[in-house]
């Protein structure tokens, strides 16, 4: 299970407690891997905390040391069967908006971590963060964390052939075509915004005209399931909370391009994956 930030409101420890009690049955039986969002910064000296991320850093213990990171739970990586998963901090720097470039500890760690992945043994590389780099919703559109972080780190992710990038923050669902530098590109990473788990304000309903890199979007609360079947095929489904779990609102097959090429595909074959949307193209 992955959680993309934004749980209790800042500096409200009672809400942290109640949220922990709520998810305890799940967290006791299934790994819960977390990353920080804007609510977890918790920096508000006038109210309570003068230590950024104090509750988030104290209440969780993620494998940062094991993955060579040095800033607690803010960023780290771990391995699962078929995949290497990297969790990043969108709210780096003294003002929580960068810098994100090669001068920072997070960037330097990310470069080392990606370089260590043996792609002959690890088929999939997946990255998660809170603020989305690609987003056509008017909510949280082109915030500093998104613009500057993408500008600094997207070339690095592309260089090492990252397959999937998950984000939250926007309370709606959106899946992108494989995209790099604001252009659709076969074999580039597929970005998915899954910040629609629910909140008291309701979904983010307003969108800009749909860009060419946006494949599917819907303003509904929901959740997603990613299944890595093997080293060549992965399947993603998105489900609305209001529907039965068996009802699929959106889906995509991610297939390694070298496998496609070896099975007769001739066009749009580059390093990375090709995303096939919908049941008709399975």
């Amino acid at each position: 299970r992955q959680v993309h930030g934004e749980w209790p409101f800042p500096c409200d420890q009672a809400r942290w407690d109640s949220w922990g009690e709520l998810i305890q049955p799940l967290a006791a039986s299934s790994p819960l891997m977390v990353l920080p969002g804007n609510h977890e910064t918790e920096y508000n000296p006038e109210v309570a905390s003068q230590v950024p991320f104090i509750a988030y850093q104290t209440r969780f213990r993620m494998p940062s040391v094991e993955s060579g990171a040095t800033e607690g739970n803010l960023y780290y990586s771990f391995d699962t069967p078929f995949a290497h998963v990297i969790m990043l901090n969108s709210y780096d720097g003294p003002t929580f908006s960068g810098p994100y470039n090669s001068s920072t500890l997070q960037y330097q760690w990310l470069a080392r971590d990606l370089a260590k992945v043996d792609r002959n043994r690890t088929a999939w590389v997946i990255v998660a963060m809170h603020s989305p780099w690609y987003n056509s919703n008017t909510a949280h559109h082109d915030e500093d964390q998104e613009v500057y972080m993408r500008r600094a780190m997207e070339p690095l992710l592309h260089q090492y052939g990252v397959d999937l990038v998950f984000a939250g923050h926007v309370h709606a669902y959106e899946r992108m075509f494989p995209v790099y530098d604001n252009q659709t590109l076969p074999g580039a990473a597929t970005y998915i915004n899954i910040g629609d788990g629910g909140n008291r304000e309701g979904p983010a309903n307003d969108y800009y005209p749909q860009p060419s890199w946006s494949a599917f979007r819907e303003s509904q609360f929901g959740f997603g399931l990613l299944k890595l079947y093997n080293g060549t095929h992965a399947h993603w489904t998105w489900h609305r909370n209001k529907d039965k779990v068996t009802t699929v609102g959106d889906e995509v097959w991610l297939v390694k391009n070298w496998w496609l090429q070896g099975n007769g595909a001739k066009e749009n074959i580059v390093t990375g994956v090709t995303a096939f949307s919908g049941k008709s193209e399975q």
Side-chain angles (χ1 to χ4, degrees), residues 195-249:
D196 58 332
N199 72 343
R200 63 183 181 180
E201 292 92 0
N205 293 315
D206 297 326
Y207 289 93
Y208 291 107
Q210 192 161 16
S212 60
W213 40 255
S214 176
F216 182 92
R217 57 189 189 175
E218 187 171 327
S219 179
Q220 291 283 346
F221 288 149
F223 63 95
L225 298 173
L226 176 65
K227 296 181 180 180
L228 304 178
Y229 282 95
N230 49 42
T232 60
H233 288 65
H235 189 224
W236 165 260
T237 57
W238 174 69
H239 307 258
R240 302 175 189 89
N241 286 350
K242 67 178 184 178
D243 296 336
K244 295 181 179 179
V245 174
T246 54
T247 301
V248 175

Side-chain angles (χ1 to χ4, degrees), residues 1-276:
R1 304 294 194 277
Q2 286 188 9
V3 177
H4 294 266
E6 289 197 337
W7 316 311
F9 283 135
C11 305
D12 189 337
Q13 299 309 309
R15 288 193 176 183
W16 275 102
D17 292 341
S18 63
W19 182 82
E21 293 168 356
L22 177 67
I23 59 94
Q24 181 174 326
L26 174 64
S29 59
S30 180
L32 183 70
M33 311 306 291
V34 300
L35 55 78
N38 52 307
H39 288 292
E40 287 70 62
T41 59
E42 286 203 298
Y43 184 71
N44 189 345
E46 296 180 359
V47 177
S49 176
Q50 299 183 37
V51 180
F53 302 104
I54 185 171
Y56 172 79
Q57 292 279 45
T58 304
R59 290 171 179 267
F60 300 102
R61 201 281 189 189
M62 296 293 109
S64 56
V65 174
E66 293 83 347
S67 57
T70 58
E71 297 188 277
N73 299 323
L74 296 184
Y75 51 87
Y76 59 92
S77 65
F78 59 95
D79 294 312
T80 69
F82 300 121
H84 182 70
V85 183
I86 298 171
M87 311 288 263
L88 296 178
N89 175 24
S90 297
Y91 297 89
D92 204 3
T95 62
F96 310 117
S97 58
Y100 302 96
N101 58 33
S102 59
S103 69
T104 65
L105 292 175
Q106 179 173 217
Y107 183 101
Q108 294 165 12
W109 170 83
L110 175 62
R112 292 193 303 269
D113 192 75
L114 286 168
K116 289 189 297 185
V117 179
D118 183 355
R119 297 307 294 266
N120 292 317
R121 300 182 61 183
T122 304
W124 304 92
V125 176
I126 301 168
V127 171
M129 66 192 73
H130 186 65
S131 296
W133 291 357
Y134 291 92
N135 165 37
S136 67
N137 198 292
T138 60
H140 303 302
H141 186 82
D142 281 353
E143 292 179 341
D144 288 349
Q145 292 83 2
E146 298 155 8
V147 173
Y148 298 140
M149 191 177 185
R150 184 181 72 82
R151 187 179 299 167
M153 294 183 175
E154 188 181 26
L156 195 60
L157 269 58
H158 188 67
Q159 174 187 346
Y160 285 99
V162 168
D163 300 294
L164 267 170
V165 180
F166 289 102
H169 200 31
V170 178
H171 297 286
Y173 172 73
E174 185 166 15
R175 174 176 57 83
M176 271 47 75
F177 292 112
V179 57
Y180 175 66
D181 195 20
N182 279 308
Q183 301 293 325
T184 55
L185 178 67
T190 295
Y191 289 75
I192 296 176
N193 298 342
I194 188 70
D196 58 332
N199 72 343
R200 63 183 181 180
E201 292 92 0
N205 293 315
D206 297 326
Y207 289 93
Y208 291 107
Q210 192 161 16
S212 60
W213 40 255
S214 176
F216 182 92
R217 57 189 189 175
E218 187 171 327
S219 179
Q220 291 283 346
F221 288 149
F223 63 95
L225 298 173
L226 176 65
K227 296 181 180 180
L228 304 178
Y229 282 95
N230 49 42
T232 60
H233 288 65
H235 189 224
W236 165 260
T237 57
W238 174 69
H239 307 258
R240 302 175 189 89
N241 286 350
K242 67 178 184 178
D243 296 336
K244 295 181 179 179
V245 174
T246 54
T247 301
V248 175
D250 180 46
E251 67 177 313
V252 64
W253 279 96
L254 302 169
V255 183
K256 291 290 184 177
N257 284 325
W258 64 262
W259 185 91
L260 290 172
Q261 194 169 35
N263 286 271
K266 302 297 183 182
E267 298 179 356
N268 295 331
I269 302 300
V270 295
T271 301
V273 298
T274 293
F276 293 103

